[in-house]
Amino acid sequence: MKKITISTLLAKKQRGEKITSLTAYDASFAKVFDEAGVDAMLVGDSLGMVLQGQDDTLNVTVEDIAYHTRAVRKGTERAFVLADMPFMSYATPENAYQNAAVLMAAGASMVKLEGGQWLCSTIEGLVERSVPVCAHIGLTPQSVHVLGGFKIQGREANKAQQLVNDAKALEQAGVQLLVLECVPSSLGRQIAGQLSIPVIGIGAGNGTDGQILVMHDMLGVSANYMPKFSKNYLAETGNLHRAVEQYIKQVKSGEFPGPEHSFE
Ligand code: KIV
């Protein structure tokens, strides 16, 4: 079984093959997702909401992510594993270096940070220190209180242009993967088309290079609510393994996300 690396994900983008991704937080689910053939797993700070029952992700700590990353790493043989850097864990470059080192040592192959151009010098420093970086733009849940809620981003022309500029600046700074959350489908397609690195969408339409969902959402067991951009694959298939296989199949074929799971 060949391990998935960032080069595998890049080659998929270049071939036009969709990348499949899910969040994971423990070894048992990681094993199921890995065996089903999910390409990448994110130990997301969404764990604050789906595991801890918080209203947002702001209470999650580096130690929380490290704990769950160690567990996911244990359950994973093939998939690429990313770990989220929590709120305020990369507020300064020095914070970022120290906290990224903790997450890489816990078993991550890449760390993810939320933000645009303001992050570029921190990202350059991480990349110079051999830490692979994924950036996350669009709806960035750590900024929920600045954004005034979990809202679609980039609907106005100037905001859309800002996201395109952010994406290009982040790629230039050395980011090797981009997560794009909750933007109109046309913008998702435009950003993926303008970058050489893979762009993984969540609520960004089916024009991105791949998709990620929060595992609790795609299994319909989230404590809070089901976002419009997600789909309950467990209800559709009645079985965990088939749910994951169906998700992978529909992402690869472009059937998911359909218009009903996307924004205009
Ligand atoms: O924390 C998380 O799970 C995420 C995904 C929603 C992309 O950032």
Side-chain angles (χ1 to χ4, degrees):
M1 192 188 300
K2 206 150 183 258
K3 259 188 177 308
I4 302 227
T5 66
I6 188 59
S7 310
T8 322
L9 301 181
L10 181 60
K12 281 187 183 246
K13 173 174 177 122
Q14 290 165 347
R15 289 198 296 272
E17 194 183 319
K18 297 281 186 190
I19 296 165
T20 59
S21 183
L22 284 172
T23 65
Y25 315 98
D26 68 35
S28 303
F29 277 106
K31 189 164 189 292
V32 171
F33 300 163
D34 196 51
E35 287 176 355
V38 165
D39 295 315
M41 285 186 251
L42 168 69
V43 183
D45 62 359
S46 49
L47 69 84
M49 298 171 80
V50 296
L51 299 190
Q52 299 173 348
Q54 309 276 1
D55 291 336
D56 55 47
T57 60
L58 305 191
N59 286 295
V60 175
T61 65
V62 173
E63 195 33 57
D64 290 334
I65 301 283
Y67 173 90
H68 291 281
T69 300
R70 283 191 289 274
V72 168
R73 174 52 70 196
K74 280 272 184 198
T76 307
E77 285 188 13
R78 174 181 166 274
F80 190 68
V81 175
L82 297 99
D84 245 344
M85 298 207 47
F87 182 58
M88 281 295 158
S89 68
Y90 49 97
T92 66
E94 287 68 30
N95 284 156
Y97 305 155
Q98 280 171 6
N99 292 322
V102 172
L103 300 181
M104 295 297 287
S109 296
M110 180 175 269
V111 296
K112 176 165 84 58
L113 290 75
E114 295 183 7
Q117 293 183 44
W118 70 271
L119 269 179
C120 284
S121 56
T122 301
I123 288 166
E124 281 162 4
L126 284 166
V127 172
E128 279 164 1
R129 287 161 181 78
S130 302
V131 179
V133 179
C134 171
H136 179 159
I137 61 171
L139 170 55
T140 45
Q142 291 172 17
S143 309
V144 61
H145 298 301
V146 177
L147 300 175
F150 295 100
K151 297 179 178 163
I152 323 303
Q153 302 296 307
R155 273 197 162 135
E156 308 81 359
N158 62 330
K159 298 277 174 52
Q161 188 55 51
Q162 181 63 52
L163 286 171
V164 172
N165 296 346
D166 280 341
K168 288 183 176 168
L170 290 161
E171 177 174 36
Q172 192 66 34
V175 155
Q176 289 177 285
L177 200 61
L178 185 75
V179 167
L180 184 58
E181 178 165 354
C182 281
V183 298
S185 302
S186 54
L187 183 57
R189 185 176 298 281
Q190 184 190 349
I191 290 178
Q194 291 194 13
L195 298 196
S196 309
I197 58 170
V199 176
I200 311 293
I202 173 164
N206 69 4
T208 55
D209 304 306
Q211 301 294 327
I212 182 164
L213 286 180
V214 170
M215 58 161 280
H216 289 63
D217 292 344
M218 68 84 74
L219 296 176
V221 295
S222 289
N224 296 321
Y225 87 112
M226 174 71 121
K228 167 187 156 88
F229 57 75
S230 197
K231 178 170 174 184
N232 184 343
Y233 280 95
L234 189 56
E236 187 170 297
T237 58
N239 170 289
L240 171 62
H241 295 268
R242 280 202 298 273
V244 180
E245 281 161 15
Q246 179 80 335
Y247 167 66
I248 293 173
K249 190 168 153 229
Q250 291 195 354
V251 170
K252 284 191 170 166
S253 69
E255 190 178 339
F256 178 82
E260 69 279 29
H261 304 112
S262 306
F263 305 104
E264 294 311 322

